[in-house]
Amino acid sequence: MSKQKYKYVCQQCSYEASRWLGKCPECGAWNSLVEETIEKKTVAGIQKNGGVRPEPLAQIKPLGVERLDLGMAEFNRVLGGGLVPGTVVLLAGDPGIGKSTLLLQSASYAAQKLNKVFYISGEESAQQIKMRAARVGLDNSNLWLWSETDLDAIEAEIRESLPSLVIVDSIQTIYSAELNSGPGSVSQIREGTTRLLNLAKTLNIPVIIVGHVTKDGMIAGPRVLEHMVDTVLYFEGERHYQYRILRAIKNRFGSTFELGVFEMKNEGLTEVTNPSQAFLAERPLFSPGSVVAACMEGSRPLLVEIQALVSQSSFGQPRRMTTGTDNNRVNLIMAVLEKRVGLNLNFQDAYVNIVGGIKILEPALDLSIALAIASSLKNTPCLSGLAVMGEIGLTGEIRGVPYVYKRLQEAKKLGFKCCLLPAGNVEEKVSGLELLEVKTVREAIDAALA
């Protein structure tokens, strides 16, 4: 009888070592190496391609695919128009953010049009899922609930029942008895994802799996998990805010720049068809430090409120805090305001916030952040009905931004009267909207705080 061999695998980056180490040499994580048994397994399912030869791109026939409607236009938008048959989607997000509710609502809608939909949960019992379904008003006989964690049983049932859609919540709870490591380990996550991927491709069944996130907001488990699936979605939002944001980080069948906005209510998640109006609903008028920014998320224009508070620092080193945008970018903008405009911010605390819990990293947000800081410092409100867009360079110049016409149309639709934008960055005039074109940050401050 041969002696059993072991290896130590990092649960963060899947680095393998022959002995236990306190710190992973690859990713630097502490106490992340877990002992696993070395198993010699034959790779199943790999066959020769049957004599298929390389073909010229022009001679390959396009594949006509009808996407699956999940009942929510915002969800379909992020997926690229719907769910492609045979695709594997990874949905990640913080605990309690609403991932299970979103998928349960989508599964119930899809079950109305499809033969059978499987909702497999390794974290809740079928009775618990039924309670949540009753709370949001869902009751569908084609939606099958199953509380199971055994990967072999799940695979056998899918092959026998052939459902039209499979949802697994979550991949960290699924395990295979063939592996000695526990659920959630690198080996179990890789094995579970590989077999679900094989099922999706061979049976042409779309599969959505839920993934946990770490305290840093990254998907838990090895990075290879994101490379294996076709689409990676992040469900974001502050638990104390009612709005939720769905983003595509990877999408083989659509754009990764799309954004879906939802609102959490007692009856579940509802779509926000006009996010700009929702984000500006409680905006204070004629308030110093408040500026409306016209930004883009994918193909969707958004108007969001930027708030800044500048006050005298009580410490030797002033504080710089941001919520919803890049802190380093704000520091850069403040440096430009000091050097190029002459604003004294050396001994001022500065706090910048994007209202509504949304996160935006677009460079076109620069000018609105600068105006909000200047407005708070001078205690002077900006012009009434003003929307702002523009990127700031280190020399104080205002650079052009793309999709100006879409931004202007969104501003006009919400009743704004004028827009501050980079000089010469006007693709087409919009009737009823006054355009204030500026070349430098100093010109922008003089125009907006007049």
Side-chain angles (χ1 to χ4, degrees):
M1 185 175 181
S2 60
K3 184 179 179 181
Q4 192 79 358
K5 294 184 178 181
Y6 299 92
K7 61 182 178 181
Y8 296 85
V9 182
C10 176
Q11 302 303 296
Q12 300 295 327
C13 66
S14 69
Y15 173 81
E16 297 183 3
S18 58
R19 61 185 181 89
W20 184 84
L21 300 172
K23 181 180 180 181
C24 175
E26 185 71 22
C27 65
W30 288 92
N31 200 27
S32 62
L33 271 70
V34 176
E35 182 183 73
E36 295 184 6
T37 305
I38 298 177
E39 303 239 1
K40 293 183 179 180
K41 297 177 59 178
T42 57
V43 180
I46 298 180
Q47 300 177 354
K48 294 184 178 180
N49 58 13
V52 177
R53 301 288 299 170
E55 300 179 68
L57 176 63
Q59 297 182 11
I60 298 178
K61 297 181 179 180
L63 181 63
V65 176
E66 183 178 355
R67 293 176 181 258
L68 173 62
D69 183 11
L70 294 178
M72 293 185 175
E74 297 294 303
F75 203 170
N76 293 332
R77 172 202 295 270
V78 179
L79 289 171
L83 196 59
V84 176
T87 186
V88 177
V89 178
L90 173 63
L91 175 65
D94 293 331
I97 205 69
K99 302 185 296 297
S100 299
T101 302
L102 174 66
L103 293 180
L104 187 62
Q105 291 181 232
S106 300
S108 178
Y109 178 86
Q112 297 176 7
K113 298 184 176 182
L114 303 177
N115 180 29
K116 186 183 295 185
V117 173
F118 272 9
Y119 187 97
I120 305 170
S121 176
E123 302 177 345
E124 298 175 286
S125 65
Q127 289 74 20
Q128 290 175 317
I129 303 174
K130 174 67 176 180
M131 291 175 59
R132 186 168 70 250
R135 177 174 58 84
V136 298
L138 303 178
D139 188 11
N140 196 311
S141 59
N142 284 337
L143 177 57
W144 293 58
L145 306 180
W146 191 17
S147 180
E148 183 59 70
T149 57
D150 188 349
L151 181 60
D152 298 322
I154 292 173
E155 183 177 11
E157 184 64 32
I158 292 175
R159 291 189 180 277
E160 180 180 351
S161 301
L162 296 177
S164 301
L165 172 63
V166 175
I167 297 174
V168 179
D169 185 8
S170 64
I171 191 62
Q172 276 81 9
T173 62
I174 305 301
Y175 76 94
S176 173
E178 298 178 2
L179 302 178
N180 292 335
S181 56
S185 64
V186 170
S187 300
Q188 291 286 4
I189 292 176
R190 185 188 293 116
E191 178 72 10
T193 306
T194 300
R195 290 169 66 172
L196 289 173
L197 183 65
N198 183 56
L199 283 173
K201 302 305 180 185
T202 55
L203 302 179
N204 202 32
I205 298 175
V207 176
I208 303 178
I209 59 179
V210 176
H212 292 170
V213 296
T214 64
K215 62 181 181 180
D216 298 325
M218 304 300 295
I219 297 178
R223 195 73 178 180
V224 68
L225 177 63
E226 300 180 42
H227 296 302
M228 295 170 64
V229 300
D230 300 306
T231 304
V232 179
L233 305 179
Y234 271 86
F235 205 37
E236 305 172 348
E238 298 291 339
R239 296 185 63 179
H240 303 292
Y241 287 94
Q242 70 269 34
Y243 297 113
R244 304 289 188 265
I245 309 298
L246 184 66
R247 299 178 187 270
I249 307 301
K250 170 188 176 182
N251 192 353
R252 288 175 178 160
F253 307 105
S255 172
T256 57
F257 297 101
E258 295 297 343
L259 179 80
V261 184
F262 300 86
E263 184 177 1
M264 178 63 78
K265 298 183 178 180
N266 292 332
E267 59 272 17
L269 287 164
T270 59
E271 299 176 89
V272 179
T273 55
N274 192 341
S276 298
Q277 186 176 16
F279 292 141
L280 300 179
E282 302 178 14
R283 180 173 62 93
L285 299 177
F286 309 108
S287 177
S290 175
V291 176
V292 175
C295 56
M296 291 290 298
E297 285 292 329
S299 61
R300 162 179 282 177
L302 283 179
L303 296 186
V304 296
E305 181 188 0
I306 308 295
Q307 289 186 346
L309 177 62
V310 179
S311 60
Q312 186 70 30
S313 178
S314 301
F315 306 96
Q317 183 175 0
R319 304 185 66 183
R320 305 282 191 259
M321 297 184 63
T322 60
T323 302
T325 188
D326 184 19
N327 186 67
N328 294 328
R329 191 75 182 178
V330 173
N331 288 331
L332 183 149
I333 294 171
M334 294 184 66
V336 173
L337 289 175
E338 289 190 55
K339 184 71 175 180
R340 305 301 178 188
V341 183
L343 298 184
N344 186 12
L345 298 169
N346 287 329
F347 303 101
Q348 304 288 333
D349 293 334
Y351 308 89
V352 177
N353 176 42
I354 299 181
V355 178
I358 187 173
K359 296 180 181 179
I360 299 178
L361 302 177
E362 190 191 17
L365 216 64
D366 291 354
L367 186 55
S368 56
I369 294 175
L371 291 179
I373 294 173
S375 172
S376 179
L377 179 67
K378 295 175 178 291
N379 200 29
T380 303
C382 290
L383 294 176
S384 177
L386 177 69
V388 180
M389 67 183 81
E391 180 183 356
I392 295 178
L394 292 179
T395 61
E397 81 279 10
I398 306 299
R399 295 178 173 268
V401 296
Y403 308 109
V404 173
Y405 185 68
K406 285 187 176 182
R407 302 173 198 255
L408 296 178
Q409 287 281 45
E410 184 73 7
K412 179 187 176 183
K413 184 173 68 175
L414 293 181
F416 285 83
K417 302 301 182 183
C418 55
C419 185
L420 190 70
L421 73 167
N425 195 207
V426 181
E427 299 173 357
E428 187 176 345
K429 301 289 184 180
V430 177
S431 61
L433 191 64
E434 181 185 359
L435 303 182
L436 304 177
E437 301 183 49
V438 293
K439 295 181 179 180
T440 64
V441 180
R442 186 184 295 275
E443 289 183 15
I445 294 176
D446 293 340
L449 303 183

